């Protein structure tokens, strides 16, 4: 009888632990989808040329460039690249505008850029999954990148660059008087991916092309233009 009680007690504890464990697990987020564009309008095969393969002269030249940048980067520029690595939204581009650009004061602008961030993320992730380019530090483990948290993601196109250029194009549309410094900041932000050793230069260029095509598609959508 005592053994039966102990057995029942253990079963009860295991059942309770299972329930608690299930409750502790975060609810998976649904996959992100475009708010404005259909899947056919986000076809990476239409927007982007394929990247160079591992071991080709083009990729080896890009690896050599990353080694040169790594050897020449200053502590200050590396610190800025790490900051850019961690901040992946319009605030990274708008920092050149100073404290006046405060999304907390402008909820409609905040909504616009939240929606744009979703769009560039969906587009970049779909392109990455399509091309599956090896990350530079996988091709050459001697590289010392900012971090290796993106180890399972492909390199082409650069998601940071896609976000930066897309945000800059829309922000420059809203503030044409500041367009020059906004677009210059997007270029510097993209260059941080080279300083970090996270991407090849052609990954940045792919992000720029994708961002330009994406914004052009969005500008043709009445719903997006209404938000703008």
């Amino acid at each position: 009888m005592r053994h039966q009680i102990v057995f029942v007690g253990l079963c009860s504890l295991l059942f309770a632990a299972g329930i608690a464990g299930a409750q502790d697990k975060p609810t998976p987020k649904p996959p992100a989808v475009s708010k404005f564009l259909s899947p056919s309008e986000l076809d990476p095969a239409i927007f982007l040329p394929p990247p160079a393969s591992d071991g080709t002269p083009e990729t080896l030249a890009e690896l050599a460039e990353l080694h040169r940048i790594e050897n020449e980067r200053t502590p200050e520029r590396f610190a800025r690249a790490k900051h850019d690595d961690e901040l992946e939204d319009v605030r990274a581009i708008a920092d050149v505008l100073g404290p006046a650009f405060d999304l907390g004061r402008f909820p409609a602008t905040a909504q616009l850029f939240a929606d744009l961030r979703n769009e560039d993320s969906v587009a970049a992730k779909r392109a990455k999954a399509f091309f599956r380019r090896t990350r530079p530090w996988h091709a050459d483990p001697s590289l010392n990148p900012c971090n290796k948290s993106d180890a399972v993601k492909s390199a082409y196109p650069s998601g940071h660059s896609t976000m930066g250029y897309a945000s800059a194009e829309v922000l420059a549309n809203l503030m044409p008087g500041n367009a020059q410094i906004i677009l210059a900041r997007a270029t510097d932000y993209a260059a941080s991916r080279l300083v970090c050793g996270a991407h090849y230069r052609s990954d940045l260029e792919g992000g720029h092309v994708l961002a330009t095509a994406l914004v052009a598609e969005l500008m043709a959508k009445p719903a997006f233009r209404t938000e703008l």
Side-chain angles (χ1 to χ4, degrees):
M1 181 69 177
R2 187 172 66 86
H3 292 300
Q4 289 178 331
I5 294 173
V6 171
F7 177 75
V8 171
L10 284 173
C11 288
S12 299
L13 287 173
L14 289 172
F15 180 72
I19 293 176
Q23 291 175 340
D24 289 340
K25 291 181 180 179
T27 302
K29 294 182 179 180
V33 295
S34 174
K35 180 178 179 179
F36 305 100
L37 303 176
S38 67
S40 63
E41 292 171 311
L42 289 171
D43 188 348
I46 295 175
F47 290 141
L48 295 169
S53 301
D54 290 351
T56 60
E58 294 84 357
T59 296
L60 293 176
E62 289 190 294
L63 280 171
E65 180 188 32
L66 290 178
H67 278 291
R68 178 182 60 77
I69 292 172
E70 183 178 288
N71 291 332
E72 296 176 355
R73 66 192 180 193
T74 64
E76 294 76 17
R77 185 64 183 92
F78 191 42
R80 190 163 83 248
K82 285 183 175 181
H83 175 268
D84 290 343
D85 176 67
E86 295 166 359
L87 185 58
E88 195 175 358
D89 62 51
V90 68
R91 294 172 298 164
I93 305 303
D95 61 4
V96 294
L97 301 174
F101 186 84
D102 180 3
L103 289 176
R105 297 170 54 203
F106 308 110
T109 308
Q111 183 62 55
L112 169 69
F113 282 103
D115 285 343
L116 179 63
R117 181 70 188 92
N118 179 71
E119 298 302 309
D120 71 64
S121 178
V122 169
K125 286 178 180 177
R126 182 172 178 183
K128 284 175 179 287
F130 180 80
F131 291 110
R132 295 186 177 277
R133 189 183 196 186
T134 305
R135 284 278 186 174
W137 67 79
H138 283 171
D140 186 347
S142 67
L143 284 170
N144 181 31
C146 288
N147 68 68
K148 296 184 178 182
S149 62
D150 290 330
V152 298
K153 299 178 182 178
S154 67
Y156 181 85
S158 162
H160 281 73
S161 298
T162 304
M163 183 287 298
Y165 284 117
S167 294
E169 289 189 34
V170 174
L171 191 58
N173 184 285
L174 292 172
M175 307 178 70
N178 292 309
Q180 187 172 359
I181 61 170
I182 291 169
L183 296 173
R185 171 57 180 143
T187 299
D188 181 69
Y189 180 80
S192 286
R193 307 309 288 154
L194 300 177
V195 178
C196 265
H199 284 283
Y200 299 106
R201 183 172 295 278
S202 56
D203 300 336
L204 276 55
E205 295 167 354
H208 195 177
V209 171
L210 181 58
T212 301
L214 174 66
V215 172
E217 291 280 351
L218 291 172
M219 288 294 191
K221 300 298 180 182
F224 184 80
R225 292 200 60 83
T226 297
E227 285 196 20
L228 188 67

